[in-house]
Amino acid sequence: MKEPDDQDTDGGKSDKSKSDGRSSSKSHTKEGLEDATDLTLTEGEDSYFNGEDSDLEGLEESTSSNEDYLESGRTSQEPAAEEAEEEAVTKISETFFYDYSELASMPFVTPDSNIPLDFLTLVHCFGYDCRKRANLHLLDSSTLTYIAGNQLVLLNFKTKEQIYLRSSSGEGIGAIGVHPHKTYFIVAEKGSFPKVIIYEYPSLRPYRILQDGTENAYAYVDFNYSGTLVATVGSHPDYMLTIWNWKEEKPILRKKAFSQEVFKVTFNPEDDEQLTTSGSGHIKFWEMAFTFTGLKLQGSLGRFGKTTATDIEGYMELPDGKVLSGSEWGNLLLWEGSLIKVELCRTGMKSCHHGPINQIMLDEGEVITAGSDGCVRIWDFETIDTADIVDETGLLEIEPINELQVNKNVKLFSMIKMNEVGNNFWLAQDANGAIWKLDLSFSNITQDPECLFSFHTGAIEALAISPVTYLMATTALDCSVRIYDFACQTFLVQMKFKQGGTALTWVPQIVSNSGAQIIVGFEDGVVRILELYDPKGLAVFTGRKKILDADLNLKQVFKPHTAEVTALAYERDGEILATGSKDQTVFFFEVEREYKPIGYINTPGPVCQLTWSTMSHLESTLLIICENGYILEAPYPAIKEKEDHEVTSYEIQDMCIKCFHFSSIKSEILRLIEIERRQKQKELKEKEKKARRKKLLEEMGEDGEKEFYEEEEEEEEGEEEEEEEPLPEVFIPPTPSPILCGFYSGPGKFWVSLGGYDSGFLYHCKFPPCDKNSDFKNQKDEPFDFRFLDDTEDNPVQTITFSINRTMMFCGMRNGAIRVYFLSQNDPSLDNLENYWHFNMHDNNYGCVKGICTSFDDRFLVTIGADSNIFVFNIFSELELEKTFKAKVPSPRFGMEAEPIPQDIEDPKAYSIENARRKREHDKLMKEAEEIKTRKREQIKALRNEFGELLAMNKELPSHMQFKRTIS
């Protein structure tokens, strides 16, 4: 990883606050003076549009937004020369830069702990938030920039080298933009009144800072065509639109853009005084106009008329002032004034794109549209610009000049042109997890779309690290399992499935000696065992394509559950595999016999974590954590030597399971804390009284003692008049707080972290004795101990892992932060949770840490988040580490290529192991019943034949000898 040239690596900033927005920035001196009257644009006043085209929404906004924005803003109408001189505007020097080391957010370290600030150092980011709007920009011919959590990543897509810039707030980045001349780029952050920082490129030095433009986060930023102005728009709750003279760090105009989410704001390339915003159910056209009170920002809301209102992601200003926008159903809308002039579709009333149009561009006289259907289409500009209604439908049919289908399962979100001389190459942001290079020349030598980078899309659900080398595996609901060499910062291989992955663990070395296997749980209840190998070790066949550095092979597949698999755990000796699911069952398998099913147990809630006891425990037991407040302990299951066809049911009935039903004690803890606080206050007052009495006795003798008692009586009377505040009431939340994670502390004891009301603490619990007759639901158990966790009341610990020697506890937080506690050796009671290191890495709003793991030798830490990001860190060590690492991909097993591939389970409605057994049992019973029916039918048929023969014989007899038919 590289940092900016001027980064100060001094570790002596322990006084800096937690990376939650409380970072400092260097003050600057301003050189040169310029009169306010010299400004071309009058500063400060917001406005609303009072003309005929004004909309009601704009009128409503005026009451709140029509106010002076700058405290220092003045008009040029001051009467006195002295006042005019005082109001001269201080101009910032062209050569002034901020200090990045003072601006960037830093980790929080507990004071006097001697924990180094660089305890964790970011070395690589494998993720990309591909669903964030306009999260792909080009800085030069080889450098891309995009947001990844709290970092801005500058990626050289030729060398794959990454450089990182940290946010100043430590609360995330909202939007980014690039200057038209590529000499600056803008980083608009998130947090409480976040900053907008403009960096110079390629020096990466902070050049200007814009402040107080929005309340919580920026949604979009844009430079005008000449690069002299910047427009920003905020997100919830204010949706504030601000125009900035960015080189002077001054807002020119400001106004509420809309009352709902605003996606985008842009300047008209042909006219800097015109802007457009779009978003949820609206598009709005803006103009900077001079009025008798100064420069105003006037907005006109687009009226859909007969057309259905739609969210608008993509639009483009045409040179003559008209605006072309997309729609959710894929047609193009041509706006003139604030009305739809015509709606454009394809021949036969087909939509221009199947789904939303996310970007529209004008390039070399052609209109380019990119949509969620993965298509890029080229349209004739003149046809669109001169389009008009031809009938009452309001639709006009046109056809694209050219089109490109990038690939299946591609969702184009934004595109940028590469500006290579003689070429027409574009880079495309794929919201389904990729960056594409597209050739839009549409000639005989046009290159096929090339996927430059591939990433997980959406939340990454699970992470596992090899027990023998620097390999890691991840899975997500995007139906992929991916393998990385995190030491060499290389993506190796992926395998796609029909259903999303939800749980993952690396098969322990005691089971797979080469460390070549991983086991993955999926959302349809299927469990698959995959084998990783180096394909270069296989026999080479003629015509084989390029050999990769690694490959995956499906080794085994089975379906123990009917719902999402949430946990996988191998017993400490590697003999048993336990799988947990949201279907409220835990299934056990005998590993040695090709994962033969042993049986399952029912749980009182959806399972969220499984943990087997370690070697320090005398007995091997399984800790089962359920989401809804239940924690179970199951013993090692008995293995019965029965053939599968002899099993009547896989449910284990006779297992003695211990249960702990968590009952909230947080209100009692808060009550005790308040009692202790009041007791300390009383003790302090008594101490002060004794000191005062002693002093008065020394100074005044008996008169002093008399004065002391008089003062004390007055104080007691005053205290009697003051009613003491009641203690906090004992409160039990009506809905149980969810259990997020937990771990064993000893035999029968465990720690848990909870969300909701009970967050803010780690709770130490102990299992009651096993009682087979007890009802879990009526049980209420309280923790016997707890540990307060600083600043986690609204930010609970989501996941926990330990270093090899258990002297470090790594915590992943709900807000995307990483926290490391430093423990004493052999401290299962967690008596020392005072010293910790804390840093925000993933996105603070939606980057909850889903997994955290250390490498097999504690040299690296890897985190995954719900924001699609994967971060790899170096763990600080006083030992000198080797400079280079490389993971070793396991060699293939002998004869692997000749083995048959097991039949996969692709149907999500396929029977689980238990349901298949029940189906088999049902089919067996039905077959037996059918056989009985068949035998009975044959008997009845034989009786009928015999009866027919008797009737025939009876008929042949003389009439007086025949039996007569009687009707009873």
Side-chain angles (χ1 to χ4, degrees), residues 407-446:
N407 208 332
K408 293 181 179 179
N409 198 32
V410 168
K411 182 181 179 181
L412 297 178
F413 212 20
S414 70
M415 290 174 56
I416 47 174
K417 193 171 185 180
M418 297 183 69
N419 291 325
E420 292 185 5
V421 179
N423 291 317
N424 192 12
F425 290 122
W426 294 69
L427 292 173
Q429 174 186 344
D430 177 5
N432 283 337
I435 297 175
W436 293 84
K437 182 179 179 182
L438 309 178
D439 183 357
L440 300 185
S441 60
F442 297 102
S443 65
N444 293 332
I445 56 171
T446 298

Side-chain angles (χ1 to χ4, degrees), residues 285-314:
F285 313 104
W286 299 87
E287 185 176 355
M288 291 187 281
F290 281 97
T291 68
F292 66 94
T293 56
L295 188 66
K296 298 291 183 180
L297 191 57
Q298 300 173 338
S300 178
L301 186 65
R303 294 172 173 81
F304 288 95
K306 295 180 181 179
T307 306
T308 306
T310 175
D311 294 351
I312 294 180
E313 289 279 0

Side-chain angles (χ1 to χ4, degrees), residues 224-243:
N224 65 342
Y225 185 74
S226 59
T228 57
L229 300 176
V230 164
T232 63
V233 67
S235 62
H236 178 81
D238 55 7
Y239 307 114
M240 195 60 64
L241 171 62
T242 310
I243 313 298

